[in-house]
Amino acid sequence: MIYLAIGFPPAAKSCAYRMRETANQFINQGWDVTVVTIAQESWERDSGVDLTLLEQVDPKIRIVELPLVREDLETDIRLYSEDRALNPNGWVTRLRRRQMEPFPEPNFGEWREDLEKAVLRIHRDHPADLLLASCVPYVNLAAAWKLWEEAKVPYAVDFRDGWSIDVIDGVEAFARDSAEGVWEQRILDNALSLWVVNDPIAEHYRTRYPDFADRVHVVRNGYDADSSPGKPHRANPEAGLAFGYLGTVNFTVPHLETVLNAWRAAREKEPLLANATFEVRGHIGNGSGREANRHAEVLKQAEADGVRFGGPAAKAEVASIYARWDAMVLILIGGRYVTSGKVYEYMATGLPIVSAHVVEHDASNVLRGHPLWTGAVGIDEEGLTESFVKAAHMAVETSDEVHAEAMAHADQFTREALMTAAVKQLIDDFTALGAERTDTADDTAVAENQIVAGGPSL
């Protein structure tokens, strides 16, 4: 199998966990896997790298790193053209226009030819039976299509969050007759299967492409079992309760400010929170804006309220970080079309969870039934203040048995179990396609023999 997985480890991106488990599960099913991604140096320019992510990549996986980079993320001004240096905004505008010419996707459209050549070269040297394209970037679809056109290699697509649906605003991202719409239709007309991360996105695609509906599958992100502390936690209010957020800081500044204002109000209101801390861990921005933006400034200004920004966390550190916290703060963008991968990991900690997202969010569906969830109150300062207070009492008053019950609620969402089932289903679909092709070929051969022999034509 050729796996187009730009974001594969050691890229410090949330998609890396899903990609790693997908590739590992194909190996477990006896397949040869060649992963196509971009060079580590490219991720160092972008979101960074986490070399600990490589520790659980099956050594039998072959990784092909292409020397593709995002020009706009270059920070060495000595390498800038005169045009870029004198007119940076105009330069970016022209860059985006140029990138959209080969394929309708800003930032990545110009990668099309390199990706197409890569899959054809890999297939020539080691013929592939199946290709799986994980998006973003969506330009991976062009490479999948190229191999289908040239060699009729079946392909499947992992959209994760979808393309024609704007999961943040919950509206159509582009029209059916747009350049993007034409590409999506073309790809799905011939795809073996489509994976998405939740039911609302799946429903969007089943409605948009009714003839394709039975090939749309919900493959949730889940969590890695080794990211959980694995035992109930007992808080020590005298030492100061520790709240935490771990994840990419991709929400707006006003969203962050609302959460921090609620945190400040809760500390003033609730004695249990008087000496509490709130630690934020994760990536903030990329390229030249990494940790040098308004989000970082707001977090710095909140230090007097016990807020600390600890920077990104390596995968190997995650379980130990969760083990020292007493409650989790789940800050998410979007609504009913967004789940996030972190919600599963947060549940597995067995800790109280404060939800700082809109009420009608898919994370609410996942959390429903979790005994230590404070509930969804929206991005509302007063409501979040009460949620922080409620979580503080949960952290102090909850028994070990209830903590264990909360951890058990997440058992159904281990990434290994979810991806094992998804990969087996895809292999079954591939096997069924092979049988169908064989039957068709046999029928054609019989018909041709009958015609040659003077029998009835079919």
Side-chain angles (χ1 to χ4, degrees):
M1 182 189 74
I2 296 174
Y3 186 20
L4 291 169
I6 295 173
F8 196 80
K13 295 181 70 67
S14 59
C15 63
Y17 313 131
R18 181 183 182 93
M19 291 175 173
R20 182 179 66 181
E21 190 62 40
T22 300
N24 283 346
Q25 288 305 324
F26 267 99
I27 292 291
N28 291 344
Q29 293 296 317
W31 284 60
D32 291 332
V33 178
T34 299
V35 167
V36 179
T37 182
I38 61 177
Q40 291 188 29
E41 292 79 8
S42 300
W43 294 118
E44 289 169 353
R45 177 187 293 192
D46 193 326
S47 56
V49 297
D50 177 0
L51 296 177
T52 68
L53 288 171
L54 292 170
E55 295 171 3
Q56 294 182 35
V57 173
D58 193 295
K60 292 188 289 294
I61 295 170
R62 179 188 176 212
I63 301 176
V64 176
E65 295 184 346
L66 303 180
L68 298 172
V69 296
R70 282 184 55 178
E71 292 180 55
D72 58 311
L73 297 183
E74 176 59 68
T75 57
D76 187 346
I77 62 174
R78 295 171 298 181
L79 301 177
Y80 286 13
S81 65
E82 181 179 359
D83 178 39
R84 181 176 186 180
L86 296 177
N87 185 11
N89 292 334
W91 179 87
V92 169
T93 298
R94 288 186 288 277
L95 173 67
R96 296 286 182 267
R97 189 182 304 122
R98 190 182 76 222
Q99 291 168 331
M100 296 282 283
E101 291 174 1
F103 186 85
E105 183 178 24
N107 298 322
F108 308 107
E110 284 189 312
W111 292 4
R112 176 180 176 176
E113 184 177 354
D114 291 285
L115 288 166
E116 290 177 342
K117 287 181 178 178
V119 296
L120 290 175
R121 181 177 65 253
I122 292 167
H123 179 65
R124 183 186 64 243
D125 296 341
H126 189 58
D129 300 297
L130 176 67
L131 181 146
L132 176 61
S134 184
C135 306
V136 295
Y138 298 102
V139 70
N140 281 333
L141 301 176
W145 181 255
K146 186 68 172 180
L147 193 59
W148 169 253
E149 276 193 315
E150 297 282 336
K152 283 296 179 282
V153 174
Y155 62 87
V157 178
D158 184 4
F159 265 166
R160 306 200 302 265
D161 287 336
W163 194 13
S164 56
I165 180 70
D166 181 334
V167 297
I168 305 302
D169 295 329
V171 297
E172 182 184 61
F174 47 76
R176 295 285 292 269
D177 60 355
S178 65
E180 296 92 336
V182 170
W183 264 106
E184 185 176 81
Q185 176 83 58
R186 176 188 300 157
I187 288 294
L188 295 186
D189 277 349
N190 293 278
L192 186 61
S193 178
L194 172 66
W195 293 354
V196 294
V197 298
N198 61 37
D199 292 296
I201 298 174
E203 185 57 32
H204 161 78
Y205 277 102
R206 289 168 183 151
T207 301
R208 189 178 178 94
Y209 305 105
D211 293 340
F212 186 72
D214 62 342
R215 286 179 277 167
V216 179
H217 301 287
V218 175
V219 181
R220 292 186 172 275
N221 276 318
Y223 73 98
D224 298 311
D226 62 359
S227 294
S228 170
K231 59 183 179 181
H233 179 82
R234 186 170 296 280
N236 181 0
E238 292 184 4
L241 296 180
F243 283 62
Y245 168 85
L246 174 58
T248 304
V249 179
N250 57 2
F251 33 84
T252 66
V253 170
H255 191 159
L256 175 60
E257 289 175 330
T258 298
V259 173
L260 295 179
N261 289 340
W263 168 255
R264 183 184 306 110
R267 290 181 90 230
E268 294 172 352
K269 176 180 182 178
E270 173 55 53
L272 284 173
L273 292 171
N275 62 340
T277 58
F278 179 10
E279 183 178 10
V280 175
R281 298 295 302 271
H283 291 274
I284 299 181
N286 61 5
S288 61
R290 200 186 310 172
E291 296 183 25
N293 50 35
R294 181 58 182 157
H295 292 83
E297 293 174 4
V298 169
L299 289 169
K300 180 73 174 177
Q301 293 166 1
E303 287 183 354
D305 302 314
V307 177
R308 302 287 183 271
F309 174 61
K315 178 66 170 175
E317 298 179 273
V318 171
S320 61
I321 290 172
Y322 288 152
R324 67 171 185 260
W325 288 346
D326 301 303
M328 309 291 297
V329 185
L330 184 63
I331 312 175
L332 297 175
I333 58 175
R336 65 183 298 264
Y337 291 99
V338 176
T339 305
S340 104
K342 282 298 176 185
V343 63
Y344 307 105
E345 200 170 272
Y346 279 29
M347 288 194 301
T349 65
L351 299 174
I353 299 173
V354 174
S355 273
H357 53 72
V358 299
V359 175
E360 296 299 323
H361 198 287
D362 193 58
S364 299
N365 299 326
V366 176
L367 284 164
R368 196 163 290 116
H370 189 282
L372 294 178
W373 180 39
T374 61
V377 297
I379 307 171
D380 172 75
E381 185 174 323
E382 184 175 342
L384 287 171
T385 298
E386 295 305 316
S387 292
F388 277 120
V389 171
K390 186 175 181 180
H393 282 275
M394 285 179 171
V396 173
E397 300 165 5
T398 300
S399 66
D400 288 350
E401 289 73 22
V402 175
H403 278 297
E405 181 186 342
M407 295 172 71
H409 181 77
D411 287 347
Q412 60 188 309
F413 298 115
T414 61
R415 200 185 317 271
E416 181 179 6
L418 293 172
M419 298 313 302
T420 296
V423 167
K424 285 183 177 178
Q425 177 64 58
L426 180 52
I427 292 173
D428 287 345
D429 292 342
F430 168 79
T431 303
L433 176 65
E436 180 182 326
R437 286 179 168 180
T438 300
D439 290 343
T440 301
D442 289 345
D443 290 344
T444 301
V446 169
E448 290 174 347
N449 288 336
Q450 289 177 331
I451 292 172
V452 172
S457 61
L458 298 179

